[in-house]
Amino acid sequence: MVKYDAAKRYFNEGKYGRSITLLEEVVPLMRGSVYAEESLYMLAQSYYSSKDYITASEYFKTYYNMYHRGEYTELARYYSAYGLYLESPDPRLDQSDTYKAMQQFQDFIDLYPQSEKKAEAQGILFELQEKLSLKELMAVRLYYNLGDYLIYSFPGGNYLSCVITAQNAVRLYPFTKYREEFMYYIFRSKYEIAMKSIEEKKDIRYRDVVDEYYSYLNEYPEGKYAKEIKKLYGNIEKELNN
């Protein structure tokens, strides 16, 4: 108990490095005792306060898996997710921690629908979805800008990859603030595919572009890209009339 008391004192004094050193030693010894639950949660919080969020998340996870109805279970689930959120990297990098954080926040919301932290958890969940949406948008822009630069073994090449990626993003993140831009790139890429198609495929691809034209304008009649899209649609109309 001497080391445990010292660990609690260091924790309360904000000396988390010292509390971690002692708790790593005493937590295994506390199993089955009245201090087991508190010591494990304190260890997780010590790592969290030291900004080692990945390790903290693992200890929080260990806690709530061991103590399903524990005194700190709701907080452990929240901070485990929040630590992963803080570790979520730039959209250009691997998003494994982002996906883990999203899943844990969703689990938290499902398990604690009346929690005072529910609104904050929902806000963070949407923020992380926007990050993933932006990552998809960056890929869409890249495919479009590559255009015909690389020769693909399938028709449409980079433009088709642009369409597929943008359509998947709209399906996965229907309320994203980037929705209009996704729809713009779907239209532009299908336009490029149609204009460069062989004669026997042009008609059906022109009509596919027409569908995307109306899809965009129905949602964004005064949109950022409306003027450009209307101008390009004029070219499609001429081709169909010919």
Side-chain angles (χ1 to χ4, degrees):
M1 282 299 297
V2 174
K3 288 185 177 181
Y4 183 58
D5 289 340
K8 288 184 70 173
R9 186 174 69 253
Y10 286 137
F11 179 82
N12 292 328
E13 291 173 354
K15 298 175 181 177
Y16 302 114
R18 292 184 178 182
S19 67
I20 287 170
T21 301
L22 291 174
L23 287 167
E24 285 282 13
E25 183 179 341
V26 301
V27 163
L29 303 176
M30 291 291 178
R31 288 177 185 169
S33 75
V34 294
Y35 304 104
E37 188 177 336
E38 181 186 57
S39 64
L40 180 56
Y41 182 74
M42 195 188 310
L43 178 57
Q45 279 290 3
S46 294
Y47 275 112
Y48 184 88
S49 298
S50 298
K51 298 184 179 181
D52 184 348
Y53 300 119
I54 297 299
T55 305
S57 181
E58 286 302 314
Y59 274 113
F60 282 127
K61 188 175 179 180
T62 299
Y63 174 91
Y64 66 70
N65 282 331
M66 290 181 67
Y67 305 104
H68 301 289
R69 298 181 181 276
E71 181 179 355
Y72 310 103
T73 302
E74 179 179 339
L75 289 174
R77 282 189 173 274
Y78 181 82
Y79 283 116
S80 177
Y82 200 86
L84 292 173
Y85 158 67
L86 293 175
E87 285 293 320
S88 178
D90 182 277
R92 291 168 292 186
L93 303 177
D94 178 71
Q95 296 299 306
S96 296
D97 287 334
T98 303
Y99 284 110
K100 290 177 183 176
M102 289 173 63
Q103 184 59 59
Q104 289 194 21
F105 273 120
Q106 188 60 61
D107 290 343
F108 177 84
I109 292 167
D110 292 342
L111 288 167
Y112 305 102
Q114 305 303 320
S115 173
E116 62 181 22
K117 292 185 177 293
K118 178 184 176 182
E120 185 177 358
Q122 288 175 322
I124 293 172
L125 187 57
F126 186 74
E127 179 186 335
L128 293 174
Q129 288 174 337
E130 286 293 85
K131 177 180 283 191
L132 296 179
S133 180
L134 177 57
K135 184 177 180 68
E136 294 303 300
L137 181 58
M138 292 167 71
V140 165
R141 290 169 177 167
L142 178 62
Y143 282 130
Y144 182 80
N145 289 333
L146 283 172
D148 296 320
Y149 180 67
L150 297 175
I151 303 300
Y152 272 62
S153 59
F154 57 87
N158 290 306
Y159 291 122
L160 182 57
S161 295
C162 180
V163 170
I164 293 171
T165 304
Q167 287 177 332
N168 285 338
V170 170
R171 176 177 54 82
L172 289 171
Y173 314 110
F175 305 110
T176 176
K177 63 183 178 182
Y178 306 113
R179 181 180 177 87
E180 181 181 0
E181 193 167 351
F182 282 126
M183 295 183 71
Y184 164 75
Y185 278 112
I186 292 170
F187 172 88
R188 280 304 313 253
S189 294
K190 287 192 174 185
Y191 175 88
E192 295 295 337
I193 292 172
M195 297 300 281
K196 296 172 183 179
S197 294
I198 57 176
E199 286 301 321
E200 55 264 35
K201 292 187 176 181
K202 279 189 174 183
D203 186 70
I204 190 171
R205 288 178 176 169
Y206 286 150
R207 297 185 188 284
D208 199 15
V209 177
V210 171
D211 290 341
E212 298 303 335
Y213 167 79
Y214 284 110
S215 292
Y216 177 88
L217 284 184
N218 282 339
E219 285 199 44
Y220 305 101
E222 305 296 329
K224 179 179 178 181
Y225 308 101
K227 185 175 180 180
E228 178 185 351
I229 284 177
K230 287 176 182 178
K231 182 177 179 181
L232 294 173
Y233 175 70
N235 296 336
I236 296 296
E237 276 194 314
K238 290 177 184 176
E239 293 293 334
L240 286 171
N241 290 335
N242 289 336

